[in-house]
Amino acid sequence: MAALLLGKTHRNLLKSVPEGAPGLLVSLALFTCLLRCAECVKPSNMILIVTDDLDVELGGMYTATPLCCPSRSSILSGKYPHNHMVHNNSLSGNCSSKAWQTGPEMQAFPVYLSKMYYQTFYGGKYLNQYGINETGGVKHVPPGWDQWHVLVGNSQYYNYTLSVNGKAEVHKDNYEKDYLTDLILNRSLNFLDSQSPQHPFFIMLCPPAPHSPWTAAPAYQNNFTDVKAPRDGSFDKPGKDKHWLLRQPVNPMTNSSIDYLDNAFRKRWQTLLSVDDMVEKLVKKLEVMKELDNTFIFFTSDNGYHTGQFSLPIDKRQLYEFDIRLPLLVRGPGIKPNQTLQDPVVNIDLPVTILDIAGVNISTLDMDGQSFLPQLVPSFRNSTSRPDFLVEYTGEGHFTKDPDCPKLGPGVSQCFPDCVCEDAFNNTYACVRTFKDSNFQYCEFADDEAFVEVYNLTADPHQLENIVKKVDPALLEAMNQRLIKLQSCKGESCRQV
Ligand SMILES: *[C@@H]1O[C@H](CO)[C@@H](O)[C@H](O)[C@H]1NC(C)=O
Ligand SMILES: *[C@@H]1O[C@H](CO)[C@@H](O)[C@H](O)[C@H]1NC(C)=O
Ligand SMILES: *[C@@H]1O[C@H](CO)[C@@H](O)[C@H](O)[C@H]1NC(C)=O
Ligand SMILES: *[C@@H]1O[C@H](CO)[C@@H](O)[C@H](O)[C@H]1NC(C)=O
Ligand SMILES: *[C@@H]1O[C@H](CO)[C@@H](O)[C@H](O)[C@H]1NC(C)=O
Ligand SMILES: *[C@@H]1O[C@H](CO)[C@@H](O)[C@H](O)[C@H]1NC(C)=O
Ligand SMILES: *[C@@H]1O[C@H](CO)[C@@H](O)[C@H](O)[C@H]1NC(C)=O
Ligand SMILES: *[C@@H]1O[C@H](CO)[C@@H](O)[C@H](O)[C@H]1NC(C)=O
Ligand SMILES: *[C@@H]1O[C@H](CO)[C@@H](O)[C@H](O)[C@H]1NC(C)=O
Ligand SMILES: *[C@@H]1O[C@H](CO)[C@@H](O)[C@H](O)[C@H]1NC(C)=O
Ligand SMILES: *[C@@H]1O[C@H](CO)[C@@H](O)[C@H](O)[C@H]1NC(C)=O
Ligand SMILES: *[C@@H]1O[C@H](CO)[C@@H](O)[C@H](O)[C@H]1NC(C)=O
């Protein structure tokens, strides 16, 4: 787990509320907007920045699934994976598939924003399989987006194709013309210049950073040369009481694995410096436009990341906090500066919150998440903190042997460096993460051992000890029942205890 970097991002998002706009007044104004009163001139603008693979150590948000395509599908649809049916990063796992396009994508949050007269812009990575020819290629522009500058396929910094409002635009590797993080920022600034002032806007920016191949901008390629991944928490601790995949890694790790992950860690930070610039330039632009006081900015990620935890070199896809816990920074009208919300928030809550801000009647939505606007902005609506949430993950495995790792059998994947595998088809699990009476995580695997892991996060924040054999059987039974209920929940039933 890496500490969140992003100096400028912190400064720009956590700084003071806008001058002349004290919290209470703005929150009253916002409330008035929600009631759509005559004096409400225009609902708030919104910007949502979703980084790729950014972990967090501080408080933050959770993901209902620690992998790009399923998580991004949850952010768009407000649904748990068992309801949007996107289970992995492949087309066959429904990533940007026809089933997605004709189902959840038709009811994703931009569709409702557009009905509320928002002018919408999307820039950067969408879903890992977006733009392939089987599903309509670059011509497919999902409903609700007015401006669409979206990457074909998975995160790249150079040498990629964009769908620009349905037309292919091929990019090479000239920094000034092609660096994707900068390019989507520039396009969003152009979009802001073209705004008609009567309508609110919504911008979603999904930079490739800090995903591999970790290509930093030229100006940042020599930063952080002395930085190493932190050696704290579960770094290089054995995972001997955990599910079978965690019992495989060499412990302690080989020097080559450590060198590899330190290098990845440094390069991840280098790529984030361009994201820092993105946030700063957007905030400055909003200031010049005099829209900063009326704009919510959300900053988050699709999944977490690990560098050496339990001797796993680098990846995500695990049930532990380092992979499911994400950064979430929000600034906007009525939000007090520099406060930390204690209530848990999940990625499926983002679209509901966004639509709540836009003035949509959220109780009409077919979404599993809940709005955290009442927690962000003290309003007349009572807030209800979620008692728990569900994590669902379907493991990915290749059924041909990995030629680079002849000793490994089939069924595993992500076996680099040093043939340590980070995923397998039977790394398929579901967990309930509870907050109300206990700070617990309870997970069941669909593998040959029907393996169970249980953690008391209060006593053991780094999940070093699986207490399944020690914990009161009545508590295990209760968590098993809750898990079963959540795994088939839909809409309202996902929000009820
Ligand atoms: C893909 O989505 C469709 C429609 O929801 C569903 O019937 C199918 O089972 C899904 N496929 C997978 C692999 O989940
Ligand atoms: C889609 O088809 C076009 C035209 O045949 C081809 O140039 C392009 O490479 C294909 N794209 C993908 C992602 O396969
Ligand atoms: C981009 O593609 C060109 C041509 O294949 C290649 O020479 C170059 O190294 C690539 N650049 C990057 C940054 O990968
Ligand atoms: C973005 O805009 C800046 C400022 O105009 C320019 O220097 C830079 O080359 C642009 N980058 C891309 C990738 O468009
Ligand atoms: C990155 O490196 C440049 C050049 O050495 C330096 O000016 C800048 O302050 C560094 N930025 C950070 C955030 O360390
Ligand atoms: C691994 O690195 C440690 C610390 O730098 C060093 O003491 C040790 O000799 C190295 N081991 C090998 C096999 O190179
Ligand atoms: C935010 O709060 C922390 C801890 O309460 C404090 O150390 C820090 O100085 C504050 N930052 C700002 C910008 O007010
Ligand atoms: C929101 O929708 C619900 C369910 O359709 C309805 O009962 C309620 O009256 C609506 N609220 C408002 C403020 O329109
Ligand atoms: C908020 O909750 C309190 C206590 O449950 C209740 O008395 C009050 O009516 C609620 N207010 C609103 C606006 O729902
Ligand atoms: C993704 O899910 C589909 C459907 O279950 C499966 O056929 C495919 O092998 C999975 N992809 C990987 C890489 O595991
Ligand atoms: C999981 O699958 C791998 C690869 O087929 C196999 O070696 C392992 O024994 C399985 N483990 C369990 C617990 O099912
Ligand atoms: C979890 O750990 C805390 C701190 O050690 C302890 O007070 C609490 O009783 C534990 N909870 C359970 C249910 O064992």
Side-chain angles (χ1 to χ4, degrees), residues 32 62 74 126 189 226 230 245 279 313 350 360 421 434 465 481:
T32 317
Y62 285 91
S74 285
Y126 185 56
L189 297 176
D226 299 329
L245 198 58
V279 172
L350 269 177
V360 172
C421 302
T434 66
E465 189 192 3
Q481 290 303 312

Side-chain angles (χ1 to χ4, degrees), residues 8 17 21 34 128 157 172 189 197 204 219 251 309 352 355 367 370 421 433-435 437 444 458 474:
K8 285 189 215 160
V17 269
L34 295 178
N128 299 46
Y157 298 78
K172 297 191 172 146
L189 297 176
M204 185 157 173
N251 175 268
Q309 282 62 38
V352 185
L355 294 178
M367 292 188 177
Q370 63 184 57
C421 302
R433 178 78 175 81
T434 66
F435 299 93
D437 301 317
E444 292 180 1
T458 307

Side-chain angles (χ1 to χ4, degrees), residues 138 150-153 156 159-163 167-171:
V138 297
V150 170
L151 187 61
V152 172
Q156 296 294 331
N159 285 348
Y160 54 84
T161 300
L162 284 185
S163 167
K167 287 215 179 74
E169 188 183 279
V170 177
H171 283 264

Side-chain angles (χ1 to χ4, degrees), residues 425-441:
F425 80 96
N426 54 8
N427 178 39
T428 292
Y429 56 82
C431 310
V432 57
R433 178 78 175 81
T434 66
F435 299 93
K436 197 159 172 254
D437 301 317
S438 55
N439 186 20
F440 263 61
Q441 186 178 23

Side-chain angles (χ1 to χ4, degrees), residues 82 390 392 429-430 444 482-489:
H82 70 263
L390 172 70
E392 296 176 298
Y429 56 82
E444 292 180 1
R482 181 64 182 151
L483 181 59
I484 291 170
K485 203 173 160 205
L486 282 174
Q487 280 182 286
S488 61
C489 77

Side-chain angles (χ1 to χ4, degrees), residues 429-486:
Y429 56 82
C431 310
V432 57
R433 178 78 175 81
T434 66
F435 299 93
K436 197 159 172 254
D437 301 317
S438 55
N439 186 20
F440 263 61
Q441 186 178 23
Y442 170 88
C443 302
E444 292 180 1
F445 280 81
D447 65 9
D448 294 346
E449 299 170 346
F451 205 79
V452 176
E453 294 188 29
V454 184
Y455 298 96
N456 178 346
L457 277 297
T458 307
D460 180 20
H462 299 297
Q463 299 168 295
L464 300 177
E465 189 192 3
N466 177 9
I467 56 171
V468 62
K469 298 209 173 83
K470 291 187 184 168
V471 80
D472 179 359
L475 187 59
L476 280 187
E477 173 65 18
M479 289 190 292
N480 163 268
Q481 290 303 312
R482 181 64 182 151
L483 181 59
I484 291 170
K485 203 173 160 205
L486 282 174

Side-chain angles (χ1 to χ4, degrees), residues 400-412:
T400 47
K401 285 186 63 135
D402 185 339
D404 295 333
C405 302
K407 286 194 191 137
L408 295 173
V412 292

Side-chain angles (χ1 to χ4, degrees), residues 159-289:
N159 285 348
Y160 54 84
T161 300
L162 284 185
S163 167
V164 175
N165 301 319
K167 287 215 179 74
E169 188 183 279
V170 177
H171 283 264
K172 297 191 172 146
D173 63 355
N174 175 327
Y175 171 70
E176 276 75 26
K177 288 189 192 143
D178 304 312
Y179 192 65
L180 186 61
T181 308
D182 294 357
L183 180 131
I184 58 175
L185 166 71
N186 287 357
R187 301 268 166 110
S188 72
L189 297 176
N190 292 344
F191 167 75
L192 285 172
D193 284 335
S194 72
Q195 280 313 292
S196 80
Q198 304 91 303
H199 292 299
F201 58 81
F202 179 89
I203 293 176
M204 185 157 173
L205 286 174
C206 301
H211 195 283
S212 63
W214 312 302
T215 317
Y220 298 136
Q221 281 172 359
N222 297 314
N223 286 80
F224 308 124
T225 42
D226 299 329
V227 166
K228 288 182 168 179
R231 268 45 172 177
D232 54 0
S234 55
F235 183 85
D236 213 8
K237 292 280 189 315
K240 293 298 169 205
D241 60 0
K242 298 182 164 42
H243 63 107
W244 82 276
L245 198 58
L246 272 277
R247 304 195 294 262
Q248 311 306 313
V250 177
N251 175 268
M253 278 180 285
T254 60
N255 283 0
S256 72
S257 283
I258 292 178
D259 290 346
Y260 189 89
L261 70 88
D262 277 336
N263 181 50
F265 187 89
R266 257 190 306 277
K267 290 190 155 171
R268 282 163 56 80
W269 274 27
Q270 291 167 356
T271 65
L272 286 170
L273 289 174
S274 296
V275 177
D276 253 3
D277 292 342
M278 166 187 278
V279 172
E280 182 176 64
K281 286 184 177 146
L282 276 169
V283 167
K284 287 203 167 131
K285 177 79 176 176
L286 294 173
E287 253 169 347
V288 170
M289 293 170 70

